[in-house]
Amino acid sequence: MTDLTLALEKVDFLPPTRVTDDTSVLTLKNLVFEPLLKWQDGFARPGLFSGWSHAEGGRLWQFTLREGATFHDGKPCTADDVLAFIDGILQAVDTFGMKWSYARYLAEATIRAVSPGVVEVRNPRPFADILDIFSEFYICRLDGAGRAILGTGRYRVAEFSAGESAVLEKVAAGSGPARIVARACRSAEARLALLKTGEVDAALNLERVEQRLDFSERFQWGRAVNTLSVMYYLNCSEGLFRDPAARLAVNHAVDTVRLADEIFHGLAVASSTIVSPHHLGARRAGLAPIPYDPDKARRLIDGVASAGPIRLRTPTFMPERAPEVSRYVADALTAVGLTVEIETEHDRPEYARQIGRKEMGDMAIFDSSPHSTFRILDDKISSRTRAVWWQGYDDAETEALIAAANAAVEDEAREAAYARCLTRLHDNPPWLYLVHPVDVFAARPGIGGLAIDAKGTLTIA
């Protein structure tokens, strides 16, 4: 194929100091840039770093750059470029004006260039979770116009109009289209329409259409369960959900299978713990969703003192369909004897800041996006770190399991340790677990090599 034209929700290349889980942006990033390490079902695979080793019980790590790695303007990529990129991330804030958690993870680490091709990370404690962190860093540089479009990946940016379109050209001979044209189209219905009229070859994020998708045989389809979790934070500091029985009760009260079918039109799967089936430890844990059992929910709630109505907070988007999900959950909780009041926040960035300040009411819908089990535990669950998204959950058994997982170094040991964490959080949930969305793309017949991964990223063989 000479050209491939894509309809994406967004077309953008963010500043080097920004990390994102937006599937459209990630699709472009994966074509133009390389992550330091690739992530696959919880494990690290070679990326811009072609190899790595550890010593001193996991306190010392060395990473070797891929030989011949070169930016698209011809500059060799060196360890100093990697260090400059990491330093920029550590000094930056996120979309909501909050400091990136990476600064906390790496607060005690010393990162240096051993040579032009080797980066060393030294930490006072075992630090295998550096693999997770590095899988989220896509090395890039600014071009002469100040645009973050210079990478070391398979495609270079030939044309770019922020928010509108981009043209990518293949760097070297090999499989894949010679050119990729990305067109921005906000509406999922409009993206599907462009595919139907033949104006594009493939359209992404079609799970976001308003009605149930018709998987027409006119097109080839791809779908994947996303690593993202749609969930409710439960206020474990005060109120009803300080009691583990109440937290378990609301998990029994909501029919998440029906929720996935009715609200997400069948394009979601029920959650069983704090992470998706793709996260490290999930496969080993082998957990099933907490079963829908309203009678058990009523019995558990009867044993817990309630002090008035439940304040359920929701934004209007992020996660998708947040208001509809909140009405569904409120009805389910009302059916087991709770009184629920829904409070809607229309300013989404302010909603995130409120949750970060622990102004969450009794429960607040959110989406948990990191593909790292380590990051979710450290940012959202651990009562030792009490990080920005922690909402008061304090369980000594969980904390001991997190500490053991953080100290594990080899892949198999880490997987087993994180599986134990996930099992404990299934049995003593800090959140109301809901669903993991299913991402969908469609393409015209005859286009080979297209697939979608667990991050919702379109991959091109």
Side-chain angles (χ1 to χ4, degrees):
M1 177 188 296
T2 303
D3 286 1
L4 175 69
T5 302
L6 306 176
L8 305 178
E9 186 175 60
K10 299 176 186 175
V11 172
D12 210 351
F13 291 94
L14 301 177
T17 53
R18 285 278 302 279
V19 178
T20 183
D21 291 290
D22 184 281
T23 53
S24 296
V25 177
L26 280 177
T27 290
L28 295 175
K29 286 178 72 168
N30 273 281
L31 293 166
V32 177
F33 312 135
E34 291 179 278
L36 290 179
L37 294 171
K38 294 180 181 178
W39 178 91
Q40 183 179 343
D41 289 343
F43 296 106
R45 300 290 183 255
L48 186 58
F49 286 145
S50 58
W52 59 95
S53 62
H54 62 80
E56 300 179 13
R59 294 172 180 82
L60 178 67
W61 293 78
Q62 286 195 344
F63 299 88
T64 303
L65 279 160
R66 176 172 61 80
E67 188 174 352
T70 305
F71 289 105
H72 295 143
D73 62 353
K75 180 194 177 302
C77 180
T78 68
D80 285 336
D81 292 307
V82 173
L83 266 57
F85 181 93
I86 293 172
D87 186 62
I89 291 284
L90 299 185
Q91 305 305 318
V93 295
D94 66 14
T95 310
F96 307 117
M98 300 176 181
K99 191 82 171 176
W100 289 110
S101 296
Y102 304 110
R104 180 165 52 80
Y105 307 148
L106 298 170
E108 297 180 295
T110 300
I111 307 176
R112 71 185 186 101
V114 175
S115 70
V118 177
V119 172
E120 180 182 274
V121 180
R122 182 181 289 275
N123 202 61
R125 286 176 293 280
F127 197 31
D129 300 305
I130 190 65
L131 303 175
D132 289 23
I133 296 167
F134 279 175
S135 72
E136 299 184 5
F137 291 176
Y138 288 74
I139 304 304
C140 66
R141 290 172 48 246
L142 303 179
D143 70 356
R147 304 174 303 174
I149 62 172
L150 295 176
T152 62
R154 296 164 57 201
Y155 288 84
R156 66 165 61 90
V157 179
E159 300 174 27
F160 173 49
S161 177
E164 295 182 7
S165 63
V167 177
L168 313 182
E169 295 179 346
K170 191 163 57 174
V171 173
S175 61
R179 291 198 333 154
I180 298 172
V181 179
R183 293 176 53 181
C185 184
R186 265 307 217 195
S187 161
E189 282 77 13
R191 292 194 297 277
L192 182 57
L194 289 172
L195 180 66
K196 287 179 176 179
T197 59
E199 295 176 66
V200 300
D201 299 308
L204 273 67
N205 291 119
L206 296 181
E207 73 283 353
R208 295 176 185 171
V209 298
E210 291 299 323
Q211 304 302 320
R212 192 174 291 263
L213 261 177
D214 171 23
F215 288 91
S216 167
E217 293 184 359
R218 289 176 55 194
F219 307 111
Q220 57 173 316
W221 298 86
R223 65 185 90 184
V225 176
N226 197 283
T227 55
L228 181 141
S229 298
V230 178
M231 35 65 84
Y232 281 85
Y233 283 123
L234 300 177
N235 189 338
C236 302
S237 296
E238 58 185 20
L240 179 69
F241 297 120
R242 291 184 63 187
D243 194 312
R247 300 196 299 269
L248 187 58
V250 294
N251 275 278
H252 282 298
V254 179
D255 186 346
T256 53
V257 174
R258 182 179 159 214
L259 169 68
D261 183 61
E262 293 186 359
I263 306 297
F264 290 87
H265 304 147
L267 296 175
V269 299
S271 304
S272 59
T273 185
I274 62 166
V275 299
S276 78
H278 302 290
H279 280 74
L280 185 61
R283 184 175 297 155
R284 177 74 69 93
L287 301 168
I290 296 172
Y292 172 57
D293 189 338
D295 291 334
K296 185 172 183 178
R298 292 186 193 96
R299 291 194 300 271
L300 288 167
I301 288 170
D302 285 345
V304 180
S306 177
I310 300 298
R311 290 177 57 215
L312 184 157
R313 304 202 63 228
T314 181
T316 56
F317 67 98
M318 283 182 67
E320 298 290 325
R321 303 181 171 91
E324 295 91 332
V325 173
S326 291
R327 288 192 292 270
Y328 179 96
V329 168
D331 288 345
L333 300 188
T334 300
V336 298
L338 293 171
T339 302
V340 182
E341 296 177 351
I342 298 177
E343 297 179 3
T344 302
E345 173 59 66
H346 294 273
D347 184 335
R348 182 56 177 81
E350 176 57 21
Y351 181 77
R353 289 188 286 267
Q354 290 167 359
I355 303 305
R357 296 192 300 262
K358 322 305 178 194
E359 299 169 6
M360 61 164 293
D362 293 295
M363 55 193 300
I365 192 170
F366 221 70
D367 48 16
S368 178
S369 59
H371 61 235
S372 163
T373 304
F374 157 73
R375 284 198 59 200
I376 294 173
L377 289 167
D378 200 79
D379 283 5
K380 305 176 182 185
I381 304 299
S382 173
S383 58
R384 180 187 64 82
T385 56
R386 300 193 174 202
V388 63
W389 304 119
W390 177 73
Q391 301 297 334
Y393 183 76
D394 191 358
D395 176 59
E397 182 176 338
T398 298
E399 208 59 43
L401 292 170
I402 293 173
N406 290 348
V409 175
E410 303 298 340
D411 281 354
E412 186 170 345
R414 292 179 72 224
E415 182 182 35
Y418 281 123
R420 290 189 285 271
C421 293
L422 301 181
T423 300
R424 174 60 181 171
L425 292 165
H426 172 275
D427 297 339
N428 184 12
W431 304 342
L432 169 54
Y433 303 134
L434 294 180
V435 297
H436 309 292
V438 173
D439 290 329
V440 178
F441 82 89
R444 63 177 177 80
I447 299 178
L450 300 185
I452 193 168
D453 65 16
K455 294 291 290 177
T457 304
L458 183 71
T459 60
I460 303 170

